[in-house]
mmCIF file of all heavy atoms in Angstrom:
data_model
loop_
_atom_site.group_PDB
_atom_site.id
_atom_site.type_symbol
_atom_site.label_atom_id
_atom_site.label_comp_id
_atom_site.label_asym_id
_atom_site.label_seq_id
_atom_site.Cartn_x
_atom_site.Cartn_y
_atom_site.Cartn_z
ATOM 1 N N GLU Q 395 10.708 26.591 -5.612
ATOM 2 C CA GLU Q 395 12.004 26.673 -5.096
ATOM 3 C C GLU Q 395 12.150 27.532 -3.848
ATOM 4 O O GLU Q 395 11.577 27.174 -2.719
ATOM 5 C CB GLU Q 395 13.002 27.152 -6.132
ATOM 6 C CG GLU Q 395 13.083 26.191 -7.330
ATOM 7 C CD GLU Q 395 13.993 26.651 -8.448
ATOM 8 O OE1 GLU Q 395 14.657 27.678 -8.207
ATOM 9 O OE2 GLU Q 395 14.111 25.940 -9.416
ATOM 10 N N GLU Q 396 12.809 28.663 -3.877
ATOM 11 C CA GLU Q 396 13.140 29.447 -2.724
ATOM 12 C C GLU Q 396 11.876 29.828 -1.866
ATOM 13 O O GLU Q 396 12.000 29.825 -0.656
ATOM 14 C CB GLU Q 396 13.960 30.656 -3.145
ATOM 15 C CG GLU Q 396 15.250 30.398 -3.763
ATOM 16 C CD GLU Q 396 16.157 29.665 -2.830
ATOM 17 O OE1 GLU Q 396 16.126 29.975 -1.638
ATOM 18 O OE2 GLU Q 396 17.017 28.835 -3.342
ATOM 19 N N ARG Q 397 10.750 30.142 -2.566
ATOM 20 C CA ARG Q 397 9.650 30.692 -1.829
ATOM 21 C C ARG Q 397 9.195 29.840 -0.620
ATOM 22 O O ARG Q 397 8.795 30.342 0.445
ATOM 23 C CB ARG Q 397 8.545 30.952 -2.767
ATOM 24 C CG ARG Q 397 7.310 31.702 -2.195
ATOM 25 C CD ARG Q 397 6.219 31.804 -3.236
ATOM 26 N NE ARG Q 397 5.477 30.498 -3.278
ATOM 27 C CZ ARG Q 397 4.491 30.153 -2.449
ATOM 28 N NH1 ARG Q 397 4.182 31.004 -1.454
ATOM 29 N NH2 ARG Q 397 3.852 29.100 -2.596
ATOM 30 N N ASN Q 398 9.292 28.518 -0.815
ATOM 31 C CA ASN Q 398 8.725 27.662 0.169
ATOM 32 C C ASN Q 398 9.678 26.897 1.045
ATOM 33 O O ASN Q 398 9.274 25.953 1.758
ATOM 34 C CB ASN Q 398 7.762 26.677 -0.519
ATOM 35 C CG ASN Q 398 6.276 27.268 -0.645
ATOM 36 O OD1 ASN Q 398 5.962 28.206 0.002
ATOM 37 N ND2 ASN Q 398 5.544 26.712 -1.622
ATOM 38 N N LYS Q 399 10.904 27.278 0.995
ATOM 39 C CA LYS Q 399 11.884 26.471 1.908
ATOM 40 C C LYS Q 399 11.567 26.672 3.328
ATOM 41 O O LYS Q 399 11.583 25.661 4.070
ATOM 42 C CB LYS Q 399 13.299 26.993 1.566
ATOM 43 C CG LYS Q 399 13.893 26.390 0.279
ATOM 44 C CD LYS Q 399 15.451 26.677 0.249
ATOM 45 C CE LYS Q 399 16.011 25.964 -0.993
ATOM 46 N NZ LYS Q 399 17.476 26.167 -0.999
ATOM 47 N N LEU Q 400 11.295 27.877 3.747
ATOM 48 C CA LEU Q 400 10.967 28.056 5.156
ATOM 49 C C LEU Q 400 9.621 27.347 5.548
ATOM 50 O O LEU Q 400 9.542 26.732 6.608
ATOM 51 C CB LEU Q 400 10.855 29.539 5.480
ATOM 52 C CG LEU Q 400 10.595 29.973 6.945
ATOM 53 C CD1 LEU Q 400 11.683 29.402 7.789
ATOM 54 C CD2 LEU Q 400 10.440 31.444 7.043
ATOM 55 N N LEU Q 401 8.716 27.466 4.699
ATOM 56 C CA LEU Q 401 7.393 26.767 4.854
ATOM 57 C C LEU Q 401 7.615 25.262 4.940
ATOM 58 O O LEU Q 401 6.900 24.548 5.776
ATOM 59 C CB LEU Q 401 6.401 27.162 3.829
ATOM 60 C CG LEU Q 401 5.791 28.535 3.979
ATOM 61 C CD1 LEU Q 401 4.733 28.728 2.806
ATOM 62 C CD2 LEU Q 401 5.122 28.823 5.319
ATOM 63 N N THR Q 402 8.411 24.722 4.194
ATOM 64 C CA THR Q 402 8.696 23.257 4.167
ATOM 65 C C THR Q 402 9.315 22.858 5.491
ATOM 66 O O THR Q 402 8.900 21.903 6.061
ATOM 67 C CB THR Q 402 9.643 22.937 2.979
ATOM 68 O OG1 THR Q 402 9.001 23.180 1.771
ATOM 69 C CG2 THR Q 402 10.004 21.401 3.071
ATOM 70 N N ILE Q 403 10.282 23.594 5.931
ATOM 71 C CA ILE Q 403 10.836 23.326 7.322
ATOM 72 C C ILE Q 403 9.803 23.420 8.361
ATOM 73 O O ILE Q 403 9.779 22.542 9.187
ATOM 74 C CB ILE Q 403 12.063 24.278 7.539
ATOM 75 C CG1 ILE Q 403 13.155 24.044 6.545
ATOM 76 C CG2 ILE Q 403 12.544 24.103 8.968
ATOM 77 C CD1 ILE Q 403 14.216 25.099 6.572
ATOM 78 N N LEU Q 404 8.997 24.447 8.392
ATOM 79 C CA LEU Q 404 7.947 24.659 9.324
ATOM 80 C C LEU Q 404 6.899 23.492 9.300
ATOM 81 O O LEU Q 404 6.572 22.956 10.331
ATOM 82 C CB LEU Q 404 7.249 25.972 9.141
ATOM 83 C CG LEU Q 404 6.088 26.262 10.133
ATOM 84 C CD1 LEU Q 404 6.585 26.340 11.539
ATOM 85 C CD2 LEU Q 404 5.437 27.606 9.669
ATOM 86 N N THR Q 405 6.523 23.107 8.061
ATOM 87 C CA THR Q 405 5.581 22.070 7.909
ATOM 88 C C THR Q 405 6.111 20.663 8.447
ATOM 89 O O THR Q 405 5.451 19.961 9.150
ATOM 90 C CB THR Q 405 5.189 21.833 6.407
ATOM 91 O OG1 THR Q 405 4.609 23.120 5.921
ATOM 92 C CG2 THR Q 405 4.130 20.765 6.263
ATOM 93 N N ASP Q 406 7.299 20.415 8.100
ATOM 94 C CA ASP Q 406 7.980 19.212 8.590
ATOM 95 C C ASP Q 406 8.053 19.124 10.070
ATOM 96 O O ASP Q 406 7.944 18.139 10.759
ATOM 97 C CB ASP Q 406 9.327 18.986 7.886
ATOM 98 C CG ASP Q 406 9.224 18.634 6.449
ATOM 99 O OD1 ASP Q 406 8.094 18.257 6.020
ATOM 100 O OD2 ASP Q 406 10.213 18.792 5.672
ATOM 101 N N ALA Q 407 8.382 20.373 10.657
ATOM 102 C CA ALA Q 407 8.505 20.424 12.104
ATOM 103 C C ALA Q 407 7.171 20.179 12.775
ATOM 104 O O ALA Q 407 7.034 19.484 13.745
ATOM 105 C CB ALA Q 407 9.110 21.768 12.521
ATOM 106 N N VAL Q 408 6.131 20.825 12.267
ATOM 107 C CA VAL Q 408 4.787 20.738 12.817
ATOM 108 C C VAL Q 408 4.314 19.218 12.650
ATOM 109 O O VAL Q 408 3.686 18.645 13.601
ATOM 110 C CB VAL Q 408 3.789 21.737 12.120
ATOM 111 C CG1 VAL Q 408 2.320 21.366 12.533
ATOM 112 C CG2 VAL Q 408 4.107 23.148 12.509
ATOM 113 N N SER Q 409 4.576 18.637 11.518
ATOM 114 C CA SER Q 409 4.158 17.273 11.269
ATOM 115 C C SER Q 409 4.918 16.312 12.249
ATOM 116 O O SER Q 409 4.298 15.433 12.752
ATOM 117 C CB SER Q 409 4.549 16.843 9.822
ATOM 118 O OG SER Q 409 3.703 17.586 8.899
#
Side-chain angles (χ1 to χ4, degrees):
E395 297 182 3
E396 298 296 328
R397 188 184 77 83
N398 272 342
K399 279 192 175 181
L400 182 59
L401 286 181
T402 297
I403 294 172
L404 178 60
T405 302
D406 290 344
V408 171
S409 294

